[in-house]
Every structure is written in C-alpha cells, then in structure tokens.
Amino acid sequence: MSSSGEALTPSDLEAILGPFLFRRESHDRPAVLAVSGGPDSTVLLRGAAGLQARREAVPLIAATVDHGLRPEAAAEAQQVEAWAAAVGIPHRILRWSGEKPRTGLQEAARHARYGLLAALARQIGAARILTAHTLDDQAETMLMRLARGSGPSGLRGMAIESPLQEFALTRPFLGTRKDRLLATCQLQGWPFIEDPSNENEQFTRVRLRRQLLPQLAHEGITPERLATLAQRLRRAEEALAVRARDVLCATLLRRGEGELSLDGVALQAEPEEIRLRVLALCIEEIAGEAFSPRLERLERAEARLSEALRMGGRSRVSLGGMLLTIINGTLCVTPEPTRYRGRYVSISEDDA
C-alpha cells in the first residue's frame, strides 16, 4: 500500500488533535482512542501519544474491538496492544461475542463496536471517544445514504463531533484525506495493519470506494466536494430542525400520556418538509428515538393525512405501530392498539 498524499507534520497533528485532547481547567477527563491498527487509527494513536508525552493531553486509553469475524483479528488486536504499550498508552481489547447476523453484518458490527466503546468510556469516566474517520469515509457515507434514499438529514453525513449516549463521539480527521494519514505512517515508519475486508467488494462501502468514487472524481465530484455538500446540508438541516420544533410548539393542542394532538389545519399551512419533520417529531416523542420511520414511508403517510385535511375528511394511517388520525382538522398521534392492528391503511415495510 502506497500513498501520493502529503504527510502530516507534528504541528499538523497538534492542530488537529489538540482541541479535543489538550488539558483544560474545564476538561481533564480521560478520552478513549478507537484504534483498529489501520493507518488512519495508527496516526490517531501516535499523534495522541505525542501530545501526552509533552503532558498536554488528558489521560488516554486505546481500545481495539475484536469483532470475531476473521481468524487474524485476535492476533491483530494483540499487536495493537503492543504498539500502544510502546508509546505509553494503556490499551484494552474489546470482544464482540455471540451470534453474528447473516445480513447487514457491517452495520451490526458498527453498532456493537460503539456499544463496547461506550461501555469502556463509562467504566473509566471518559468524556469522549475518538475515531479516525477521514474525509474519504465521509464521502463513502454520503453515497451509501444516497443509495438508500436518504433526505437532507442523512446526506449531511457525519459530524466532527456528535453524541454517543452520554459521550462525545469525536472524528478529528474528518477533514483530512486518507492518503495523508497513510503517507504519515510511511514517512514516520509507523507499522500498521492492512485489513483484507477493506478490499472485499461484497461490502457496499468497498464497492463505492473502489468503483464509483474514482469515476465521480473524474467528473469533479471529489470527496472534498461531497464533504462540502455535507456541511451545507448540515447547515440547512439545523435551520429546518429549529423551524420544525417551533411549528410543533405552535400547533400543539394537547400533550397527554402517550398521545399528542395538533392543529392539523395550521400545520397544513406549512411547507411539506416542515410537516414531515413535525410528524417525525411526534412519533419520536411517543415511540422514542429507537423508532425512526424511513423517509419514503413517512412521506406516504403524510400525503394521506394532508389529503384528508384538504378535503375536510377523516383519515387513519398506521405507521410502524403508531396510529395517525385526522378528525375535524385535528391530527392525533397515538400508539396503535393491538386489537386494531390491520384495520387501517398501513404504511409498512411492504410498501417500501
């Protein structure tokens, strides 16, 4: 594996990592470094160790997740442990045990990985978890979400910092190209692990990286351009989210136990995007964040309700166990009673 990128200097690494790892009066809690052993996370480990050596970094602990998906994984985790010890950073190996799904393996592994990292952060009293996601990862993520039909919320991509349970999930290299991190390892002589799954085209992300992204870059749609688009969509998303919350408050008629009632006529005066977001907020408030209907199904449900409001009629729509009802211009959102399942128009997975 070779790179044509420009290596990061020690000053570059300090500028990138320092804002998240420097000790401050208001911030001295430990940080967890997610280190797989690849070139990206190797630079994260070594760069953080450089700050710690000068006594400028908060207490650090590195963690490697052994997903148990490859025979070599256990030995690789032990190798990362040795590299961490060599630079004076404590290390933990976190193992994903139990049965593995036959489909959606990468997504399941991702959820398991973050769960294990959060558990470790909680155990040591950490404030944040740092990963080595790059600008290239951001571009791949956007294309994957685009292929799944995501709207502005999904296409805003990853944030440099986002919540993970009670912790900050931090991606300091999100504005850095992957080839610069590889070049840094090569210039410094830092060994790293090459994961063969990163070349396995049975995974969507790998196919996008190897087949589609080079073609897009040839037409000017580079990872940098995609990352800029993500930033602009994030800006628009923040404005739309604020407006949707304001409209929810303005149209709310009643908030009961497991029930919300809104002025449907007033809501209908809002643009479609705001109506969709208010509906999603209502469902999230009652069902919890774990339930997030796909955008296509939400759009179909909202279209049926809006038609009833325009015609002055009634409508009841079932969406993932929630009952959305229009009666006399009022929108009610409640859990669907089990005994009524199937009696109303259902917007389900089969419709997608």
Side-chain angles (χ1 to χ4, degrees):
M1 184 184 293
S2 60
S3 171
S4 58
E6 180 183 356
L8 297 173
T9 66
S11 295
D12 291 332
L13 287 171
E14 180 175 320
I16 292 171
L17 297 175
F20 308 107
L21 293 180
F22 279 149
R23 291 177 181 270
R24 297 189 293 271
E25 289 184 8
S26 59
H27 171 53
D28 198 26
R29 291 169 59 192
V32 175
L33 308 175
V35 184
S36 66
D40 305 344
S41 61
T42 293
V43 176
L44 175 63
L45 174 69
R46 301 277 184 164
L51 295 182
Q52 189 179 63
R54 298 196 299 273
R55 300 182 181 275
E56 294 176 328
V58 300
L60 302 171
I61 184 166
T64 303
V65 177
D66 176 2
H67 298 90
L69 300 176
R70 296 183 294 110
E72 309 87 354
E76 290 171 357
Q78 291 175 348
Q79 178 62 78
V80 176
E81 187 172 52
W83 289 337
V87 295
I89 293 182
H91 180 273
R92 298 276 185 88
I93 297 175
L94 311 175
R95 291 184 172 84
W96 182 26
S97 57
E99 285 192 37
K100 309 301 189 293
R102 294 185 178 181
T103 60
L105 183 59
Q106 284 202 324
E107 184 67 16
R110 174 183 174 276
H111 284 296
R113 180 165 59 252
Y114 284 133
L116 290 166
L117 291 168
L120 173 61
R122 191 173 298 111
Q123 180 184 342
I124 67 170
R128 68 181 68 246
I129 299 165
L130 282 79
T131 70
H133 288 100
T134 66
L135 190 78
D136 302 73
D137 296 317
Q138 178 77 296
E140 293 163 15
T141 296
M142 288 190 67
L143 291 177
M144 289 181 70
R145 293 179 179 178
L146 181 63
R148 291 201 298 261
S150 293
S153 181
L155 294 179
R156 62 183 177 170
M158 297 180 284
I160 289 181
E161 193 156 273
S162 58
L164 175 63
Q165 298 181 26
E166 67 265 40
F167 311 104
L169 179 61
T170 305
R171 306 173 179 93
F173 294 137
L174 201 59
T176 306
R177 289 296 301 264
K178 189 179 293 285
D179 61 0
R180 296 198 68 189
L181 300 180
L182 177 57
T184 304
C185 287
Q186 293 171 340
L187 179 66
Q188 299 292 340
W190 294 337
F192 57 85
I193 295 166
E194 297 187 38
D195 184 347
S197 66
N198 289 330
E199 305 299 322
N200 188 344
E201 294 194 8
Q202 80 176 68
F203 297 122
T204 303
R205 185 178 288 272
V206 177
R207 292 195 301 274
L208 292 173
R209 179 188 311 140
R210 293 170 63 97
Q211 298 177 22
L212 183 57
L213 272 170
Q215 296 179 41
L216 292 175
H218 181 72
E219 300 296 336
I221 307 175
T222 62
E224 287 85 357
R225 293 278 175 83
L226 288 169
T228 298
L229 175 60
Q231 291 174 351
R232 289 170 176 166
L233 286 171
R234 181 171 296 279
R235 185 174 63 208
E237 170 68 18
E238 290 172 355
L240 289 167
V242 169
R243 176 59 183 167
R245 288 193 293 270
D246 289 346
V247 170
L248 174 58
C249 292
T251 59
L252 184 64
L253 299 175
R254 180 176 182 273
R255 177 182 273 118
E257 185 67 28
E259 176 187 353
L260 289 174
S261 297
L262 278 68
D263 183 339
V265 176
L267 180 61
Q268 187 63 25
E270 295 293 326
E272 181 183 1
E273 180 66 24
I274 299 302
R275 299 198 303 267
L276 286 166
R277 288 167 181 268
V278 170
L279 196 58
L281 287 172
C282 291
I283 294 172
E284 180 181 303
E285 180 170 331
I286 297 174
E289 293 184 5
F291 175 69
S292 179
R294 285 177 55 183
L295 180 58
E296 294 93 337
R297 295 200 296 276
L298 189 64
E299 287 170 337
R300 285 194 294 276
E302 194 281 328
R304 291 180 184 274
L305 298 173
S306 288
E307 182 180 8
L309 283 166
R310 287 195 300 270
M311 302 299 293
R314 296 187 176 191
S315 180
R316 282 181 174 171
V317 175
S318 172
L319 178 59
M322 303 300 294
L323 193 60
L324 315 176
T325 307
I326 293 292
I327 300 178
N328 297 327
T330 298
L331 168 64
C332 297
V333 183
T334 60
E336 183 181 15
T338 304
R339 65 182 182 276
Y340 291 145
R341 291 282 168 89
R343 290 183 57 178
Y344 309 110
V345 174
S346 177
I347 309 296
S348 65
E349 291 284 353
D350 295 335
D351 300 314

